[in-house]
Structure formats: structure tokens, C-alpha cells
Amino acid sequence: MELRVPPLPRDRRLRRIRFSGVGRVAQPGFQEFVGPILAPYDLKGVGLLTYRYIDPAKPDASFLYLPVLRRVRRLSTAQRSDAILGTDADPDSFWGYAGHIAWMAWRFLGEKEMLGVMHGEHYPIQQCPGAADFMFCDAWEKRRVYVIEGRSRLSQYAYGKRILYIDKQAWVVTYEDIYDQAGELWKVWIDDHQFRDRAFPGATTYPEEQDFYAGLLMLDMQLEHATYVPHPGADPPGHEGWHFNRGPNARTDASPSGSIPEMFSIASLVARGN
């Protein structure tokens, strides 16, 4: 995975962060590993490990490994709303919304029609040219979405509310509007979904369509700053990017043993970051 962090619109500097990948398993409860970061050097080895429990009253256990300090930092549930790694993105915003459902108060606001990317054509995704290079250019289509409002039950949570736009057919987030505690629009999250049975011709073919989630954009509307994440990146070419239900066969350079339970541990978090 590559993470691009370009300020906009005045400062055109571009910082690239490369991840080795993302892993998820559903036993017990839910476990997710993001990382380790491969570049730039000052962030090399950083990784995030999350445990989510079946008991909805039990908060997430999230651990961030910082190799420069040789320390593992545990994040509270509220801290999952804090932007990490010098980006505009916070762990609870991953995939449009990755927070604990039970720790939010939800309200259904209705349905609407919006443009969204559900069958993207560029894999890896392509940056738009010129001043819009913080955004991805792809095939947009009209989609019916559910509009859901979420407010955190935690007083220390960074955001006042989230508005999720969830595709009615695919049940994935297409957009998210994030507001500050004063009720002002703060950030906007946009996803690039690509539903098909393979990443590209010649790649692993699945019996049914999968979401080859090709990337995202997080816009900080107040600071005029953006985080752009293509996945997979263009380097190395031909990388499938995602493995679905392949367990030990979901191998990457950083995870040669594949997606197995042993990789979702603090010991693995530290070992992969060193």
C-alpha cells in the first residue's frame, strides 16, 4: 500500500508512505493488522494492530508500534479518532468507518442518490492531473445510498459526528462527512471500490466478485490538506493488492507465512517492524 500526503492547494509538496499491506481475520471477534510501513525512513516499521471483541461492552485493544522508540503504544478507544502517522486519517475512519459500532449512537437520515466509484477501471488508481492531483480519477456512477449519522458516546472523541453514505447494494461506505465538535464540516472521506472476480487479467480468480478496494482520499476541509492512499501502489508492478479468504496462501514480502492467527500478535507487530 502507498500513502501519499499532499498539502493543497497552496503547497504542492508530496510525501509518499509505503505499507507492506493489511491483514484481517475474524477469530476471535475481529483482528486487523496494518503495516509495517516501508518508507519513508522516519516511519519505517510502524504498524497498527487491533483486536475487537465479541462482547460489545468491551472496548477495542489497539496497539501502535513505534520502532524509533522501540515501544508499543496502546491507543484508547477515543484515541482511534486521532489522525496518525502525519496524515489526515484516523484508525476509526479506515474503510469509511472502522470504529466499534456499539460505541456510537446511530440515526438513520434517509436515502439519496450520489455519484460513487463501485466499478473502478484503474488498478492501481490514477491521480488526477494538475491541481487535482490529490484526488483519484476513475469511473463514477449513480448509486443509491443510505445516509447514517453516528455520534460517539465518548466525551474525548475528536469528532462531533460522522455522516456515512452506505451503498444500498454493496453495503460499503462510498463517502463520509466528518464534523468537529462545533458542528462544522472538518473532513471528507471518499473510497474507490472495484467489484470484480479478479484484480486484473491473469490474477487469482475468485468464484464471486470481491471488492478490490483500490484506494481512498481523506480531505481536511479546514486545513486545506489531503491524504491520498492508492492500494496497491504502482511499485512493484503487477501486485494483486488483496487476498480474500486465502489464509496461509495470502503471502507478501512482509508476511511470508500468509494471513494466519500468529501474525495478529504484539510479538509479530514488533518483529515485523524491526
Side-chain angles (χ1 to χ4, degrees), residues 123 199-200 202-206 212 231-232 238-243 246:
Y123 194 80
F200 46 77
T204 302
T205 301
Y206 295 88
F212 289 91
H231 181 64
H239 193 287
E240 293 190 27
W242 294 100
H243 298 281
R246 300 191 67 198

Side-chain angles (χ1 to χ4, degrees), residues 4-237:
R4 299 172 181 261
V5 191
L8 69 127
R10 294 181 294 272
D11 187 347
R12 305 310 303 169
R13 290 175 300 172
L14 183 67
R15 190 183 195 197
R16 175 179 296 183
I17 301 176
R18 296 182 59 225
F19 287 86
S20 67
V22 179
R24 283 179 163 184
V25 295
Q27 56 175 8
F30 172 85
Q31 301 174 36
E32 180 180 66
F33 189 104
V34 179
I37 291 177
L38 304 178
Y41 183 79
D42 61 321
L43 294 178
K44 186 176 181 180
V46 172
L48 177 67
L49 174 67
T50 297
Y51 299 116
R52 179 159 297 157
Y53 301 96
I54 295 175
D55 182 357
K58 193 171 183 178
D60 293 345
S62 298
F63 302 91
L64 183 68
Y65 178 55
L66 303 171
V68 67
L69 301 177
R70 300 291 181 183
R71 295 188 62 182
V72 175
R73 173 189 171 196
R74 181 162 183 170
L75 304 180
S76 70
T77 303
Q79 286 175 318
R80 285 181 54 87
S81 62
D82 295 340
I84 61 172
L85 307 178
T87 75
D88 303 287
D90 57 281
D92 269 4
S93 291
F94 291 172
W95 326 110
Y97 181 69
H100 201 307
I101 294 175
W103 291 72
M104 300 282 280
W106 299 99
R107 188 161 65 103
F108 178 66
L109 301 182
E111 300 181 16
K112 66 185 306 182
E113 189 174 72
M114 301 180 69
L115 289 176
V117 179
M118 288 290 131
H119 300 91
E121 299 175 351
H122 301 300
Y123 194 80
I125 55 177
Q126 296 180 0
Q127 283 181 272
C128 292
D133 66 353
F134 61 91
M135 184 58 179
F136 52 81
C137 285
D138 217 321
W140 298 75
E141 58 188 280
K142 288 184 179 180
R143 306 292 299 186
R144 294 294 301 178
V145 299
Y146 295 117
V147 185
I148 310 292
E149 177 190 273
R151 294 179 181 268
S152 177
R153 302 180 188 275
L154 304 171
S155 59
Q156 307 93 339
Y157 206 72
Y159 305 130
K161 67 178 179 180
R162 298 173 180 269
I163 304 294
L164 307 182
Y165 301 91
I166 301 174
D167 188 86
K168 286 187 64 175
Q169 180 183 19
W171 283 62
V172 295
V173 176
T174 55
Y175 298 93
E176 179 185 18
D177 292 335
I178 305 174
Y179 294 79
D180 62 19
Q181 296 291 348
E184 298 294 327
L185 181 62
W186 185 357
K187 298 179 181 180
V188 176
W189 181 282
I190 307 175
D191 281 326
D192 186 312
H193 297 281
Q194 303 196 10
F195 283 90
R196 51 180 174 269
D197 64 359
R198 71 199 73 182
F200 46 77
T204 302
T205 301
Y206 295 88
E208 57 186 23
E209 287 189 342
Q210 305 291 339
D211 183 4
F212 289 91
Y213 183 89
L216 62 94
L217 173 74
M218 175 70 103
L219 277 169
D220 188 319
M221 305 298 291
Q222 297 182 7
L223 294 181
E224 296 186 331
H225 192 270
T227 296
Y228 166 85
V229 183
H231 181 64
D235 181 27

